[in-house]
């Protein structure tokens, strides 16, 4: 069966793939927020947590590599470092945040975007 192309991957499917690949690296508490009606910066915000700096790095690398290998999708930008206990990967229509589980409440993105509907994780 041929791999789907990047062009056939909708923003929502991309968000779900981010969650799937993050869970492959044992990411904690993934959520998808639908920002389409409330923000012009991205369509979906994916947030998850890791328990250590090496795990945060593994999640980020796993998502990037899997999206590149499976659908030919490359990030527009990557910011943050495992040592900062936060990494964001920008795919344009999806922003994928990985926080250390102890830092996630400090940034409180779920509270900041509390008016965004949460999408069910498949």
């Amino acid at each position: 069966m041929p791999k789907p192309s990047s062009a056939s991957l909708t923003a929502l499917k991309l968000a779900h793939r981010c969650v799937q690949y993050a869970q492959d690296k044992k990411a904690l508490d993934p959520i998808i927020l639908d920002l389409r009606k409330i923000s012009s910066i991205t369509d979906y915000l994916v947030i998850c947590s890791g328990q250590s700096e090496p795990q945060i790095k593994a999640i980020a690398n796993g998502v990037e590599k899997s999206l590149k290998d499976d659908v030919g999708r490359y990030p527009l930008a990557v910011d943050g470092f495992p040592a900062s206990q936060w990494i964001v990967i920008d795919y344009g229509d999806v922003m994928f945040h990985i926080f250390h589980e102890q830092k996630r409440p400090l940034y409180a993105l779920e509270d900041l975007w509390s008016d965004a509907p949460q999408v069910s994780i498949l």
Side-chain angles (χ1 to χ4, degrees):
M1 179 175 216
K3 291 191 252 182
S5 72
S6 178
S8 69
L9 195 64
T10 66
L12 182 56
K13 286 180 183 176
L14 176 62
H16 280 291
R17 291 262 182 135
C18 287
V19 168
Q20 173 191 346
Y21 299 141
Q23 287 177 321
D24 289 347
K25 300 297 181 183
K26 310 297 184 213
L28 304 173
D29 304 319
I31 65 164
I32 301 172
L33 298 177
D34 183 347
L35 302 184
R36 292 174 299 166
K37 293 183 179 176
I38 59 174
S39 176
S40 61
I41 60 169
T42 193
D43 291 343
Y44 295 95
L45 189 65
V46 178
I47 307 167
C48 70
S49 302
Q51 295 180 303
S52 66
E53 292 171 14
Q55 186 187 21
I56 292 167
K57 183 178 179 180
I59 293 167
N61 290 342
V63 168
E64 280 188 73
K65 182 177 182 340
S66 295
L67 284 173
K68 178 185 73 153
D69 292 349
D70 292 352
V71 295
R73 187 75 184 252
Y74 293 83
L76 301 174
V78 179
D79 199 8
F81 303 96
S84 69
Q85 300 184 338
W86 164 78
I87 295 175
V88 61
I89 306 172
D90 181 357
Y91 285 102
D93 45 3
V94 173
M95 298 281 283
F96 177 60
H97 290 267
I98 311 155
F99 290 101
H100 189 284
E101 65 181 342
Q102 293 176 345
K103 293 285 186 179
R104 186 170 171 177
L106 298 175
Y107 289 93
L109 291 184
E110 293 95 331
D111 294 338
L112 179 66
W113 295 103
S114 63
D115 50 343
Q118 191 167 332
V119 176
S120 295
I121 303 291
L122 299 176

